[in-house]
Amino acid sequence: MGFGTRIVTVQQMRDLDRRATEEFGIPSILLMENAGRAVYEAAVELLGSVELRDIVIVAGPGNNGGDGFVTARFMHNAGANVKIFYFGERQSAKGDALTNIEIAEKIGLEIDYSKDIDALSRAIKSSHLVIDALLGTGVRGELRLEAAQVVGAMNRRRCPLIAVDIPSGIDADTGKPLGPPLGREHVLEESVIADVTVTLALPKVGLITEGDGAWHTGKLIIAEISMPSEAVNTTDVPFTYVNESPAGLPPRSMFAHKGNMGHLAIVAGSIGMTGAATLAAEGALRIGTGLVTVAVPESLNDIMEVKLTEAMTIPVPEGKSRAFGMASLDKVLEIIEKRDAVVIGPGFGRDEDTIAFTLELIKHIDKPAIIDADALFAISTDLSVLKNCKAPLVLTPHPGEMATLLGTSIDKVQSNRLEAARSFAQEQGVTLVLKGARTVIAEPGGMAFINLSGTPGMATGGTGDVLSGMIGGLLAREPDGLTWMQACSAVYYHGRAGELAAEKLGAEAMLASDLADNISAAIIEEMDESEKE
């Protein structure tokens, strides 16, 4: 995968399958044949050879099971000892799946229709490989007990497992396990934990987004099964894309000088929160911004003068809490007017005067702006300010801030991060960066991106401030550029810089400032990779 790889929801994949057959004349059984072949090839790659190997194939009643029967045939022809455990009603089988069951029966493949889970467990115990073709992407709702028990048997294996299209029991749209709540001692019954997943035609959202799906997927192989590219390219529903490499930095001319590399204003800080302003400035400078000016409440300026060397600071009149307030508005607007883009919010605090200042400021800005941290809390009190603002806006909430914006719970946001981000971006006409593992970037037109870089070491205070500065820096360098693409680049570099910092210092010890220090390494690494291509 790379930047721009499309990933699909269940409904989008169904539509593509239907169009492949109805509009382009590709028989569905050909797609199933190609799917089974792809799984077989993945098995050969994993084991080296399948000849004389004992292979257990767990097949369900749907097309996923049909893919498993095709795989079994390829395995058998290659000399493997194949045994199929079928968990469905033989007399109810239909369509392409039935055709492949009948072929397997005529060939004489060993098929166990007994649904005996103990027999399955014994076979798995002595096998060299398990193929999970039990449940596909169409499963909705909680797994039935029998399916959960089969999942548990597969998870107690001692050999590798390849999942067909998606690990059984994973919601293909959200990545959540569908197993019944049987208690912590039965966690292996929730969904299959695969070593390899061979997903068909296009990756499914649940394999990529944050949650158990990405962890349960293991190594992800995207199988080409003859899905016509015309069907994909002419779909009018907005796709989701993988953000695995940067969309690119604006080119730096050999005649570049600080005056034409962007001038970013950062409106940040309050008593006790000067670190947020500092980290945002460091993020902006490390991403290559020509000039950075930090506007701070006047009583904090001396502190900022000491903390920042390369960035300039401007003291502005402050409110009663040594934070921004309505008294700050005119001076801040004057500062922004002379800059190319602005970051608003790191370290603001939530004083009523600050909230009023924030809402009024957003109404009046006409430069690309990043709304972060406590400024997000301010706009949650009056979302209409977003539609009244004429400037391109990028909002960067973490899940808690997103829940506040939506008036819901963090669990609700996390249950479908992609849709939470996409729908908000479309409704409010903004670019939204929903932070967290597998950060989601959504743009107003409906496109969305799931970022793959990052590390648990980034779960430390201040990393979000660095990101807001990085996005702001790219917006300042290219104010007329595509806002969502600049956000994608910054999010990628931010995650990769975190990975590099964690490699050097360990995930437990790295700080937000360490991440900022590694932005340059992330950029150099990507430039080296680009030169090789």
Side-chain angles (χ1 to χ4, degrees):
M1 292 189 294
F3 180 78
T5 298
R6 285 170 168 149
I7 54 180
V8 291
T9 63
V10 171
Q11 188 57 52
Q12 286 174 325
M13 195 66 240
R14 283 178 181 155
D15 291 342
L16 289 172
D17 285 337
R18 177 185 55 77
R19 293 186 62 204
T21 300
E22 295 179 2
E23 297 181 27
F24 298 94
I26 297 179
S28 56
I29 198 165
L30 175 61
L31 299 176
M32 184 174 285
E33 185 75 8
N34 291 339
R37 180 195 295 271
V39 176
Y40 159 72
E41 291 173 348
V44 172
E45 182 179 344
L46 183 66
L47 298 180
S49 168
V50 298
E51 186 175 6
L52 300 180
R53 299 297 185 100
D54 296 323
I55 312 292
V56 169
I57 296 182
V58 183
N63 284 338
N64 196 254
D67 297 336
F69 275 88
V70 175
T71 303
R73 176 157 38 85
F74 278 100
M75 295 280 194
H76 169 76
N77 291 342
N81 303 314
V82 181
K83 185 166 185 177
I84 305 168
F85 286 83
Y86 185 70
F87 288 88
E89 300 300 328
R90 170 64 179 83
Q91 64 274 20
S92 300
K94 58 185 179 182
D96 298 334
L98 174 60
T99 299
N100 279 294
I101 291 173
E102 291 173 341
I103 293 172
E105 291 172 340
K106 290 173 183 175
I107 290 175
L109 296 185
E110 186 177 359
I111 307 172
D112 187 327
Y113 290 109
S114 69
K115 303 181 187 176
D116 185 337
I117 294 173
D118 289 337
L120 171 66
S121 297
R122 288 194 297 273
I124 287 176
K125 191 174 182 180
S126 60
S127 67
H128 296 100
L129 178 68
V130 176
I131 303 295
D132 166 27
L134 179 66
L135 301 170
T137 59
V139 177
R140 285 290 180 273
E142 196 174 277
L143 294 187
R144 290 184 295 180
L145 184 58
E146 181 191 68
Q149 290 172 332
V150 176
V151 165
M154 286 193 275
N155 281 337
R156 291 184 176 85
R157 69 191 183 274
R158 298 172 181 171
C159 63
L161 180 145
I162 297 177
V164 179
D165 206 16
I166 191 167
S168 291
I170 288 293
D171 187 304
D173 283 343
T174 67
K176 298 296 181 186
L178 296 170
L182 299 174
R184 291 177 61 86
E185 67 273 22
H186 292 289
V187 67
L188 293 180
E189 273 75 22
E190 290 184 346
S191 58
V192 163
I193 304 168
D195 297 287
V196 176
T197 296
V198 179
T199 197
L200 309 175
L202 293 167
K204 316 306 178 291
V205 171
L207 301 175
I208 306 294
T209 190
E210 180 190 354
D212 295 288
W215 180 68
H216 283 224
T217 296
K219 178 183 178 183
L220 181 61
I221 295 175
I222 305 169
E224 204 288 299
I225 59 170
S226 297
M227 179 64 65
S229 58
E230 288 77 6
V232 177
N233 295 333
T234 58
T235 299
D236 55 4
V237 178
F239 276 104
T240 302
Y241 298 84
V242 169
N243 189 44
E244 195 180 32
S245 58
L249 292 178
R252 183 178 285 259
S253 164
M254 64 180 295
F255 303 108
H257 58 80
K258 64 184 180 184
N260 62 16
M261 292 302 295
H263 193 164
L264 177 68
I266 297 176
V267 185
S270 62
I271 184 68
M273 300 294 286
T274 55
T278 304
L279 289 166
E282 290 179 356
L285 290 163
R286 291 293 188 188
I287 202 74
T289 313
L291 294 165
V292 175
T293 296
V294 182
V296 292
E298 57 192 356
S299 67
L300 305 177
N301 190 60
D302 289 349
I303 299 170
M304 295 304 297
E305 291 271 18
V306 174
K307 292 171 78 77
L308 290 171
T309 301
E310 291 86 355
M312 297 167 282
T313 66
I314 297 179
V316 302
E318 62 190 33
K320 59 185 178 183
S321 302
R322 298 184 68 188
F324 291 97
M326 288 303 292
S328 317
L329 185 61
D330 290 343
K331 182 63 176 178
V332 170
L333 285 171
E334 178 186 319
I335 293 168
I336 294 173
E337 178 62 27
K338 298 174 183 175
R339 275 75 187 178
D340 299 305
V342 58
V343 174
I344 300 170
F348 261 21
R350 297 183 177 183
D351 185 83
E352 288 184 5
D353 192 23
T354 306
I355 292 173
F357 157 78
T358 305
L359 294 174
E360 204 62 30
L361 176 63
I362 294 172
K363 287 179 186 175
H364 288 86
I365 56 174
D366 58 1
K367 302 292 178 66
I370 295 83
I371 311 297
D372 186 38
D374 290 325
L376 294 167
F377 178 80
I379 64 172
S380 73
T381 66
D382 183 7
L383 287 178
S384 68
V385 72
L386 297 175
K387 291 184 177 176
N388 292 330
C389 178
K390 305 302 181 187
L393 296 178
V394 180
L395 275 60
T396 56
H398 57 56
E401 291 163 340
M402 190 73 213
T404 302
L405 286 171
L406 293 172
T408 186
S409 66
I410 294 175
D411 286 345
K412 188 74 173 176
V413 170
Q414 295 294 79
S415 69
N416 197 337
R417 288 167 51 84
L418 178 61
E419 278 313 303
R422 193 202 300 269
S423 59
F424 189 92
Q426 287 183 287
E427 289 171 9
Q428 301 298 335
V430 300
T431 296
L432 190 123
V433 177
L434 178 53
K435 295 182 291 194
R438 301 289 165 96
T439 290
V440 177
I441 305 103
E443 59 91 44
M447 283 196 305
F449 299 80
I450 298 177
N451 186 66
L452 300 192
S453 66
T455 166
M458 295 164 68
T460 183
T463 55
D465 302 315
V466 176
L467 177 61
S468 65
M470 294 172 71
I471 299 173
L474 292 183
L475 290 178
R477 287 181 61 174
E478 201 175 29
D480 296 327
L482 292 172
T483 303
W484 59 264
M485 186 172 286
Q486 293 159 328
C488 283
S489 288
V491 169
Y492 171 79
Y493 284 124
H494 181 257
R496 183 60 188 138
E499 292 172 349
L500 294 169
E503 288 172 11
K504 295 174 182 174
L505 301 168
E508 304 300 333
M510 66 169 282
L511 306 177
S513 55
D514 299 319
L515 186 157
D517 289 343
N518 279 279
I519 295 171
S520 61
I523 294 172
I524 291 170
E525 177 185 79
E526 189 275 330
M527 293 175 70
D528 289 345
E529 289 297 320
S530 297
E531 289 179 1
K532 293 177 185 176
E533 295 176 354

